[in-house]
Amino acid sequence: MGIFEYAPAPESRAVVDIKPSYDLFIGGEFVPATGGVFKSVNPATEEVLAEIGLASDADVDRAVAAARTAYERVWSRMPGAERGKYLFRIARIIQERARELAVLESIDNGKPIRETRDVDVPLVAAHFFHYAGWADKLEYAGYGPNPRPLGVAAQVIPWNFPLLMLAWKIAPALACGNTVVLKPAETTPLTALLFAEICRQAELPAGVVNIVTGAGETGARLVAHPGVDKVAFTGSTAVGRSIARAVAGTDKKLTLELGGKAANIVFDDAPIDQAVEGIVDSIFFNQGQVCCAGSRLLVQESIQDELLDALRRRMGTLRLGDPLDKNTDVGAINSAEQLARITELTAAGEAEGAERWSPACELPAQGFWFAPTIFTNVSATHRIAREEIFGPVLSVLTFRTPDEAIAKANNTPYGLSAGVWTEKGSRILSMAKRLRAGVVWANTFNKFDPASPFGGYKESGYGREGGLQGLEAYLDV
Amino acid sequence: MSDKDKSAKKTAAPAKAAAKRTAAEVAAPEVTAPAETATAQATARLTVRKTYKLYIGGAFPRSESGRSYEVASADGAFLANAALASRKDARDAVVKARSAFSGWSGATAYLRGQILYRVAEMLEGRREQFVAEVRSVEGVTEAAAAAQVDAAIDRWVWYAGWTDKIGQIRSAANPVSGPFWNVSSPEPSGVVALFAPERPSLLGVVSVLAPAIAVGNTAVLVAPDSAALPAISLAEVLATSDLPGGVVNILTGRAAELGKPLADHLDVDGLDLAGIADADFAVELERAAAENLKRVLRPAAAPADWTGHPGTTRLTAFLETKTVWHPIGA
């Protein structure tokens, strides 16, 4: 160990109790799935964590029916103030069990404990706390004097922020008076099932929250179910498209948070050290498995060498390894399938002539790992500049003028997020105005807050989650 | 009316045409000749008819296909040969709408309001013409036609006043828990394709068009069948109201023919299906729109009441929310 090496500082696993098998959560009870089982794996070790119930079509039917009953008999009739109190209770229990949730999330997802502990779980609690307060104030939200819930919401969420995406979906739905059937991602069901226990501790009325685990077919069955009134999905643009087709011609209200290929634009007057930190946050946070990741770095030509030298130095200090180690910056890739996609796209980057660089970085022998990587000499036509890689891979392009930066940044079918780094205020405002993206981070990146609406333009989907705007998705307006 | 009925009418039309009044003659009833005798015919002034063409990029071209279709009055009389827009016309219109988007969405809300109010002034000036046109295509009483035109003008004024207010009611300074300035504000979705209902012919077109462009979108509007006549007269109003060319493009013809190319078009960001009466066709178009995640306004399940208060649904249907973050520090 060199003098600047760190001793291991692992967070204890003792705080979580992973059961050998998990059932579905329907009508307030844990009930066995009738479609078989699948396994959830720790991506850092490939250890099988538990057997998870695979919801059959009949199970999905039962969950939707339970949600409908709870909607009609209890939740839609309950005064908003009482609904809000349940959500406040849930927020408090999440805070009380925060460490347990953070450790479990890191084990099931592979993301560093530093992120689950300091970002994911605090945001989850904040989200429930924020929407709890909305439940009895909906008539002040600007959607009319008597805003009504939609009914039963079908919610399908991804594996990159399992519990946070659950909170983004469930908190506003319940605050507005809807009941939900939520399907967590196949590779990360454990925190959603722990959340089911939290609902029981909170004594949430049976059927208000139902959780069905399974794979893509389970989600497809759920969103196409004739008994649901609202569909909310976060995930890939390809699946988002198929859901939009599936709900065509129905009365279902649809919101979609899909892929991205965000430009992070650095001007020559940007403070280099802050920009480098921002670039690291933008593409290596959560191993780059973030729909709003700043996966295209657009750097002004005159500072390219200086910025990239500083970025390479900084990347050399990133610590990749055990997600439960409190010093870890870069954890495991969530699945073998995702690792294969990252590997395939980066190989395409090299084959198309871009120049690849990673810091010296030893990868653990077991598990799914990918070293932080940057590509230079990237052209706008390369696959790594156009397709969402969803991994710790940055494509570097250059520009000379603000107009060129805007043209390149907007030259994508996506429009989820963008970043701008410059000390010039008027330039920030003009860039922010011209970037066709739902979230623009200026001199910062990858910041999230329950009061701040999140969602995309163009093929990054429609609807917003968070804040006042996030209520609209769950109200009949 | 099916296509078969229309083609049958087209064949029979020339024989009837001479005895019937054209739209232009209806619009100027004081000069209509009774044509009872050859003498009267010989001395009466012949009405100058209007050629109804498309409105694309600020110009009035015929359909590139060279096709037209007969528009008849409610009682079957020949009114005009309107241009029958093709899928190529639709693509051309999208190109023009896209070119106009940056200027129109970037114009100040005050300027957009001034221009839209100017449109209302021009509509008012041509009120009698629109009343006559609506009367002839819909076969309604003069009072009913006048009521529709008045409602359309008033609706246009209502939307003109929204341009610099929608941004305020849909914006927010978000109290995030950290040292950040964080503001959300609405922006237009981009190029939208609008299918106007055939009835009410003028109020329907105004009701789908005005809100879409008030918030900064640019539009390709399909005015089906006989709604073509008031829609193209509206285009003449738009062309003389300082509205930049390409902000509104109007295609006349068949929604059945233009629906798929516009719903499929990857440079169209939004789709208003108000005028698609065939439920199965509306579903087909909504499915096609999923390819690039167009924002879709589904047709109303029950026949829509276009005379009722419109609310803000159509203003917000093609709006995005942009949220900007910046650190607060010394």
Side-chain angles (χ1 to χ4, degrees):
Chain A
M1 187 192 291
I3 62 166
F4 294 121
E5 284 297 305
Y6 292 74
E11 180 70 44
S12 170
R13 274 183 71 149
V15 67
V16 301
D17 172 24
I18 301 178
K19 296 177 214 158
S21 68
Y22 285 86
D23 293 334
L24 310 176
F25 184 62
I26 296 176
E29 303 292 333
F30 288 98
V31 297
T34 62
V37 293
F38 62 98
K39 294 177 170 58
S40 191
V41 169
N42 180 340
T45 61
E46 300 178 54
E47 154 205 10
V48 172
L49 294 169
E51 286 198 331
I52 312 293
L54 180 62
S56 66
D57 289 357
D59 296 329
V60 171
D61 291 348
R62 273 193 293 159
V64 171
R68 172 65 56 195
T69 304
Y71 175 73
E72 284 173 358
R73 296 200 185 145
V74 184
W75 201 244
S76 66
R77 298 180 179 192
M78 187 182 287
E82 299 303 306
R83 287 202 311 270
K85 278 153 60 182
Y86 279 107
L87 293 174
F88 279 123
R89 264 194 191 183
I90 290 171
R92 279 292 191 240
I93 298 173
I94 288 165
Q95 290 174 323
E96 288 156 11
R97 302 181 69 172
R99 190 55 54 91
E100 183 185 355
L101 288 163
V103 171
L104 186 61
E105 193 81 306
S106 280
I107 292 172
D108 203 21
N109 170 280
K111 62 169 70 189
I113 185 73
R114 187 167 63 79
E115 291 179 8
T116 54
R117 181 195 64 199
D118 298 348
V119 181
D120 294 62
V121 176
L123 278 172
V124 170
H127 225 84
F128 276 98
F129 200 87
H130 179 80
Y131 278 106
W134 266 123
D136 57 355
K137 301 170 189 68
L138 297 172
E139 63 270 35
Y140 299 100
Y143 301 114
N146 183 28
R148 298 290 308 147
L150 295 163
V152 175
Q155 306 179 317
V156 177
I157 58 172
W159 46 259
N160 59 341
F161 294 91
L163 193 64
L164 183 58
M165 292 301 102
L166 173 149
W168 283 24
K169 295 284 179 289
I170 292 184
L174 265 50
C176 292
N178 306 278
T179 58
V180 308
V181 180
L182 177 128
K183 192 201 84 73
E186 185 181 4
T187 59
T188 55
L190 293 185
T191 47
L193 294 164
L194 181 54
F195 179 80
E197 279 182 32
I198 290 173
C199 292
R200 279 167 64 107
Q201 280 191 335
E203 295 172 2
L204 187 73
V208 171
V209 168
N210 303 275
I211 293 175
V212 292
T213 44
E217 306 82 71
T218 315
R221 171 78 184 184
L222 177 59
V223 300
H225 199 288
V228 307
D229 306 291
K230 155 78 193 177
V231 174
F233 170 75
T234 297
S236 73
T237 291
V239 174
R241 256 183 217 122
S242 70
I243 292 175
R245 287 190 192 103
V247 306
T250 69
D251 293 331
K252 292 173 191 170
K253 191 166 184 171
L254 177 63
T255 44
L256 298 169
E257 304 283 4
L258 309 175
K261 191 71 191 177
N264 196 7
I265 304 167
V266 184
F267 282 94
D268 59 5
D269 66 340
I272 294 289
D273 290 345
Q274 286 176 38
V276 165
E277 285 309 303
I279 293 163
V280 166
D281 280 343
S282 80
I283 189 62
F284 303 126
F285 174 62
N286 202 26
Q287 298 71 247
Q289 301 169 130
V290 184
C291 46
C292 53
S295 53
R296 287 184 298 154
L297 176 65
L298 297 185
V299 54
Q300 198 154 20
E301 208 172 84
S302 54
I303 58 158
Q304 180 183 204
D305 293 344
E306 185 189 354
L307 183 79
L308 292 182
D309 286 348
L311 177 61
R312 289 192 186 98
R313 274 198 305 277
R314 177 67 180 87
M315 286 170 67
T317 68
L318 291 173
R319 300 178 57 78
L320 177 146
D322 181 7
L324 285 182
D325 190 317
K326 286 174 270 193
N327 293 320
T328 293
D329 298 306
V330 180
I333 300 303
N334 181 250
S335 65
E337 185 189 358
Q338 184 58 26
L339 180 60
R341 173 164 173 79
I342 299 168
T343 307
E344 192 265 326
L345 269 167
T346 47
E350 283 184 280
E352 288 185 318
E355 198 174 308
R356 176 179 188 157
W357 183 86
S358 290
C361 177
E362 196 180 326
L363 302 183
Q366 290 291 306
F368 315 125
W369 304 94
F370 200 90
T373 299
I374 58 173
F375 277 99
T376 49
N377 291 330
V378 177
S379 91
T381 57
H382 288 164
R383 283 183 69 198
I384 54 170
R386 291 182 292 118
E387 297 181 30
E388 186 174 39
I389 299 173
F390 225 64
V393 181
L394 180 67
S395 299
V396 182
L397 296 94
T398 61
F399 67 92
R400 291 185 180 179
T401 64
D403 283 348
E404 187 188 355
I406 288 289
K408 285 184 165 166
N410 288 340
N411 183 19
T412 167
Y414 295 115
L416 188 51
S417 65
V420 183
W421 297 82
T422 169
E423 287 288 84
K424 190 173 177 188
S426 57
R427 181 185 282 155
I428 291 172
L429 296 178
S430 105
M431 295 296 287
K433 198 178 172 78
R434 296 165 70 195
L435 286 163
R436 299 287 291 162
V439 183
V440 177
W441 286 292
N443 292 324
T444 185
F445 210 98
N446 269 347
K447 293 291 184 295
F448 308 94
D449 192 278
S452 179
F454 183 91
Y457 285 31
K458 303 194 283 185
E459 294 185 26
S460 289
Y462 35 77
R464 291 294 176 270
E465 293 184 307
L468 171 69
Q469 291 81 356
L471 295 169
E472 188 176 5
Y474 292 97
L475 291 172
D476 183 11
V477 294
Chain B
M1 185 188 295
S2 76
D3 283 0
K4 196 184 283 179
D5 293 338
K6 281 195 185 120
S7 51
K9 183 161 289 151
K10 182 148 193 162
T11 335
K16 286 198 294 185
K20 300 288 186 178
R21 298 187 303 167
T22 67
E25 287 160 350
V26 172
E30 70 279 5
V31 296
T32 304
E36 280 165 3
T37 66
T39 313
Q41 228 170 13
T43 56
R45 180 177 177 276
L46 185 66
T47 302
V48 179
R49 288 176 176 171
K50 180 159 92 188
T51 306
Y52 288 85
K53 296 190 282 187
L54 307 177
Y55 181 52
I56 298 176
F60 289 90
R62 291 191 168 82
S63 169
E64 62 78 35
S65 66
R67 301 175 308 169
S68 65
Y69 67 104
E70 185 192 321
V71 178
S73 69
D75 58 7
F78 172 82
L79 290 176
N81 290 313
L84 182 59
S86 67
R87 54 183 57 210
K88 174 72 165 75
D89 294 319
R91 290 198 299 270
D92 290 346
V94 172
V95 169
K96 295 297 183 185
R98 176 58 64 190
S99 324
F101 178 67
S102 146
W104 183 242
S105 62
T108 65
Y110 179 59
L111 180 61
R112 284 204 303 270
Q114 293 261 301
I115 291 172
L116 293 191
Y117 185 76
R118 180 71 177 160
V119 171
E121 290 177 345
M122 296 289 108
L123 279 169
E124 186 80 31
R126 294 197 189 207
R127 184 176 176 280
E128 300 313 316
Q129 177 199 342
F130 279 106
V131 170
E133 212 161 44
V134 166
R135 210 182 152 188
S136 65
V137 299
E138 297 193 24
V140 294
T141 64
E142 177 156 4
Q148 184 188 147
V149 172
D150 290 347
I153 299 170
D154 291 352
R155 182 151 301 173
W156 199 285
V157 171
W158 193 70
Y159 281 122
W162 263 116
T163 58
D164 56 357
K165 291 154 198 81
I166 192 72
Q168 276 193 318
I169 69 160
R170 298 285 289 192
S171 288
N174 306 310
V176 295
S177 60
F180 291 94
W181 176 92
N182 178 302
V183 164
S184 297
S185 50
E187 290 191 344
S189 299
V191 173
V192 296
L194 312 169
F195 290 88
E198 194 185 2
R199 295 285 179 273
S201 53
L202 178 65
L203 183 59
V205 167
V206 165
S207 297
V208 299
L209 178 62
I213 62 170
V215 300
N217 294 294
T218 57
V220 176
L221 179 133
V222 175
D225 305 314
S226 66
L229 270 43
I232 292 303
S233 296
L234 173 66
E236 294 160 9
V237 165
L238 300 175
T240 52
S241 302
D242 299 330
L243 188 76
V247 171
V248 173
N249 304 276
I250 298 182
L251 305 173
T252 58
R254 314 257 153 82
E257 181 180 3
L258 300 172
K260 199 63 176 23
L262 287 168
D264 279 338
H265 203 300
L266 293 182
D267 211 20
V268 171
D269 302 295
L271 197 60
D272 185 340
L273 298 175
I276 306 296
D278 177 341
D280 291 339
F281 188 47
V283 174
E284 187 189 336
L285 297 186
E286 188 180 347
R287 285 207 183 109
E291 183 59 28
N292 67 335
L293 283 312
K294 289 178 185 70
R295 288 80 176 112
V296 177
L297 257 180
R298 294 172 181 145
D305 175 15
W306 294 99
T307 59
H309 192 278
T312 56
T313 308
R314 285 198 141 71
L315 278 168
T316 58
F318 304 119
L319 272 187
E320 311 294 321
T321 299
K322 175 181 280 177
T323 301
V324 182
W325 293 68
H326 195 278
I328 295 172

